[in-house]
Amino acid sequence: MARAVAVVGVGQTRYGNRSEMTYPDLVREGVQAAFADAGLGPEDVDGVVFGTMPSMMEGVAMTHFYFADALRAVGKPLMKTETCGTTGMSLAITGYYWVASGMADVVLVVGSEKMHEGDSQATMSTVAEPFFFRPFTSGAPGIFSMLAQMWMDRHGIPEDKARDAAARVSVDHHRDALDNPYAHIKKAVTMEEVKGAPVIVYPSRLWDICPNSDGACAVIFACEEKVKKMSGKPAWVKGIGFCGDEYWFGDSDKVSWDGARETARQAYEMAGIRDPLKELDVAEIYNPFTYVELQHYECFGFCEAGTAPDRVLDGTFSRGGELPCDPSGGVLCSNPIGATALVRVAEAALQVTGRAGERQVEGARLALSHGLGGVAQFNGIMILGAEQ
Amino acid sequence: MITRDKKGNPILEAEARIPYELALGPTVHRFFEGFKQRKILGTRCHACGRVLVPARSFCPRCFVDMNEWVEVSQEGRVLSWAVTNYEYFGMPTKPPFIQSLILLGGTDCGFMHLIGGVDLSDVDRVGRIVKTGMTVRAVWRESRTGCIMDIQHFAPVD
């Protein structure tokens, strides 16, 4: 039987172009923030989990070696986990496993990226094998734009309506990011600006697409016994789910998207959630592109298949709506990829402990956090709650 | 070399460039030998019955060997498409281009390639020509070397 586990501290750096410092110093900034938040020190940590995107992103391989000092991992077990964009969620789940199993009482989990140091989409293209896929890739925007086209076609959603809903997602999140002190992109945009922006990969335009960000995020997981000795408010892990599709992009249906649905089913079953729209108070969806956020609302059972545009346009997922999604501004406004899904966990923890500042969803008690990665291959979810 | 970035901060300009020799193995090699003869080959899984293309040595779901080779259609239905209109370092295909997931006749999965023969001078107008569900057909290069670009692109069938 797994032990009860809680998030007892989170640390985030400011996201953006952080060329004023080295990569290890940026990682340490996130780690120190988490220690300060938890009221713990390196001596309290039994093990460290770390992850990033592929080494080509910053040109140094095996960065957990390079960052061992910045992670204050000297004399401790250090584990690396990576699943592309899902990395941050895989990190959180690895940390959870380690504590839930009883093999560690306190685990420090850290994800980071310094995307201004390399070429993010050139790095991403190396995730595609070179025989069949790589000549046709255009990084993440290509994959997610194709998902959007399939989704619109399958459900008969008029392109203009999907365009309006995606623009609304962009407008909402760019406004939300103004309330997040860590956010990278701090610019309010209008529906007209989003819909008239230059095409990057049709149908995705500039403001439908996340930025390249530098940043680090650290989250500390602890067992019940340790939590009870601490003064801060814990965010309890209520449910987790993770599911992978085939490597081959065309082998599985990314509209019905069984992998994404199975991920949510696992997490809801563990958390005892039957009606996510009613029971969840807030969700941090991994939304590097506006259209894919709409698809995830459907795959996670927030609304029926094909109805996400209607629900977005009626405000269901906006701040003040029935289930606010990404009140932090989400991935769309800050994307240091190796950290990004862990940022979703950190934001969920802040929400259910009432510490999310200007972006707090009032009275939030149960929050879903999500990671997505690979060539739309992996989905992971962690649900956090105020109650054990 | 130490220089300054756009924010004025000092940076080290570095590069990592490494050559590779990537083995094709018998299945990928046979698939591309078929390309030289203008044939698109898939393999059938005896457990689930699916025909996958490009040919696979094993079924990712059933985890059994896929030894039954089948020639599949040169025509297929467009499952999805997108127009790439930006460029990154080392991009193998120069933008703008249309990438597409195509369901070839006689297969059970999407096959990734380009859609060509379409005016790309205005990306906003491409959607009036290219449609999800339309039929496209392989256009072969005259000179073929046994690689994925032996098919120049798939072109819309009138």
Side-chain angles (χ1 to χ4, degrees):
Chain A
M1 184 63 192
R3 299 198 295 175
V5 178
V7 170
V8 295
V10 303
Q12 299 188 61
T13 66
R14 185 173 50 77
Y15 306 119
N17 184 334
R18 300 297 306 273
S19 68
E20 77 278 13
M21 61 168 68
T22 65
Y23 195 0
D25 283 338
L26 183 64
V27 170
R28 184 164 176 265
E29 183 181 313
V31 170
Q32 284 187 302
F35 280 140
D37 188 51
L40 296 176
E43 66 280 5
D44 300 307
V45 171
D46 299 320
V48 181
V49 185
F50 176 76
T52 62
M53 280 294 276
S55 304
M56 286 71 83
M57 191 72 81
E58 296 90 5
V60 179
M62 309 295 275
T63 40
H64 55 315
F65 297 179
Y66 182 28
F67 301 154
D69 301 359
L71 295 163
R72 189 48 189 87
V74 182
K76 301 180 196 299
L78 170 59
M79 189 189 293
K80 186 166 194 181
T81 304
E82 57 185 30
T83 50
C84 227
T86 339
T87 291
M89 189 55 65
S90 296
L91 293 171
I93 290 175
T94 305
Y96 166 79
Y97 286 157
W98 208 344
V99 177
S101 73
M103 297 299 289
D105 287 341
V106 177
V107 169
L108 170 68
V109 171
V110 184
S112 69
E113 214 68 65
K114 211 160 190 296
M115 296 174 69
H116 285 90
E117 297 198 345
D119 186 319
S120 63
Q121 299 311 314
T123 298
M124 303 273 236
S125 73
T126 66
V127 176
E129 55 72 40
F131 300 115
F132 303 108
F133 281 173
R134 202 176 295 168
F136 314 123
T137 59
S138 52
I143 293 299
F144 288 105
S145 293
M146 287 210 287
L147 254 60
Q149 298 276 39
M150 282 191 271
W151 168 75
M152 285 187 273
D153 178 66
R154 181 77 55 83
H155 298 309
I157 301 166
E159 190 171 347
D160 288 349
K161 186 175 183 179
R163 179 59 278 178
D164 278 350
R168 173 69 187 270
V169 165
S170 179
V171 168
D172 281 359
H173 292 333
H174 282 91
R175 189 189 58 229
D176 291 340
L178 298 175
D179 288 336
N180 180 355
Y182 305 110
H184 179 178
I185 303 298
K186 297 242 190 190
K187 181 191 184 315
V189 293
T190 65
M191 292 289 282
E192 289 65 35
E193 281 176 303
V194 178
K195 294 198 281 186
V199 169
I200 305 299
V201 176
Y202 188 88
S204 301
R205 296 170 185 273
L206 183 65
W207 299 110
D208 291 309
I209 295 180
C210 59
N212 289 316
S213 310
D214 304 343
C217 178
V219 173
I220 300 174
F221 289 87
C223 67
E224 183 178 1
E225 188 189 339
K226 293 283 183 187
V227 171
K228 297 274 157 75
K229 292 178 185 164
M230 298 172 67
S231 57
K233 273 186 176 173
W236 295 97
V237 179
K238 305 299 289 182
I240 58 171
F242 197 99
C243 189
D245 299 345
E246 294 95 332
Y247 171 77
W248 296 86
F249 179 62
D251 277 14
S252 55
D253 185 336
K254 304 284 185 190
V255 179
S256 67
W257 212 343
D258 294 343
R261 288 175 189 277
E262 170 61 16
T263 303
R265 190 200 61 75
Q266 289 171 11
Y268 294 159
E269 182 177 287
M270 187 171 162
I273 292 173
R274 292 193 173 153
D275 185 344
L277 182 66
K278 287 202 164 55
E279 294 176 58
L280 291 169
D281 299 311
V282 57
E284 280 283 334
I285 304 296
Y286 195 97
N287 57 349
F289 300 88
T290 51
Y291 288 95
V292 79
E293 181 169 349
L294 301 171
Q295 271 190 275
H296 277 104
Y297 292 159
E298 298 176 3
C299 292
F300 294 167
F302 297 175
C303 60
E304 293 297 318
T307 66
D310 294 310
R311 296 290 77 78
V312 165
L313 293 169
D314 74 16
T316 298
F317 304 117
S318 303
R319 298 267 293 274
E322 190 169 2
L323 176 52
C325 290
D326 295 89
S328 64
V331 187
L332 202 60
C333 296
S334 311
N335 192 20
I337 308 182
T340 299
L342 193 60
V343 174
R344 312 276 69 74
V345 176
E347 286 290 327
L350 291 173
Q351 287 288 348
V352 299
T353 54
R355 301 188 298 133
E358 293 294 312
R359 60 200 185 285
Q360 179 70 45
V361 172
E362 199 178 338
R365 308 286 289 169
L366 196 61
L368 178 147
S369 57
H370 169 226
L372 166 65
V375 184
Q377 189 175 355
F378 295 115
N379 277 278
I381 285 176
M382 179 171 277
I383 294 170
L384 295 175
E387 316 289 341
Q388 186 175 347
Chain B
M1 188 176 125
I2 308 293
T3 56
R4 300 264 171 185
D5 72 357
K6 63 182 177 188
K7 289 178 75 182
N9 289 316
I11 52 162
L12 173 68
E13 288 188 28
E15 189 178 71
R17 197 176 283 263
I18 303 168
Y20 297 93
E21 294 183 348
L22 305 170
L24 266 66
T27 307
V28 175
H29 188 233
R30 182 167 171 184
F31 176 79
F32 283 136
E33 286 299 303
F35 264 35
K36 287 184 185 172
Q37 300 161 44
R38 301 181 189 240
K39 288 180 178 175
I40 305 174
L41 302 174
T43 46
R44 189 192 312 275
C45 174
H46 66 77
C48 67
R50 291 185 307 158
V51 172
L52 301 182
V53 64
R56 316 289 169 81
S57 57
F58 64 93
C59 175
R61 292 186 197 169
C62 308
F63 212 57
V64 297
D65 290 350
M66 291 175 82
N67 297 321
E68 186 188 341
W69 287 76
V70 288
E71 184 181 350
V72 307
S73 177
Q74 312 247 333
E75 277 188 13
R77 180 164 60 85
V78 172
L79 296 175
S80 189
W81 58 278
V83 190
T84 293
N85 193 38
Y86 81 113
E87 188 167 1
Y88 52 75
F89 176 83
M91 199 168 196
T93 304
K94 294 298 164 205
F97 61 86
I98 307 171
Q99 72 224 96
S100 180
L101 205 55
I102 301 160
L103 181 66
L104 296 172
T107 74
D108 298 287
C109 66
F111 181 72
M112 185 97 92
H113 216 289
L114 305 173
I115 291 177
V118 174
D119 179 12
L120 293 174
S121 54
D122 180 355
V123 289
D124 275 314
R125 298 178 72 89
V126 175
R128 297 182 192 179
I129 305 161
V130 178
K131 306 278 184 197
T132 305
M134 76 188 300
T135 302
V136 292
R137 184 176 179 80
V139 175
W140 295 92
R141 290 183 195 276
E142 282 308 311
S143 170
R144 293 179 301 282
T145 59
C147 73
I148 194 67
M149 296 316 293
D150 283 352
I151 294 176
Q152 188 172 333
H153 55 248
F154 283 76
V157 173
D158 295 329

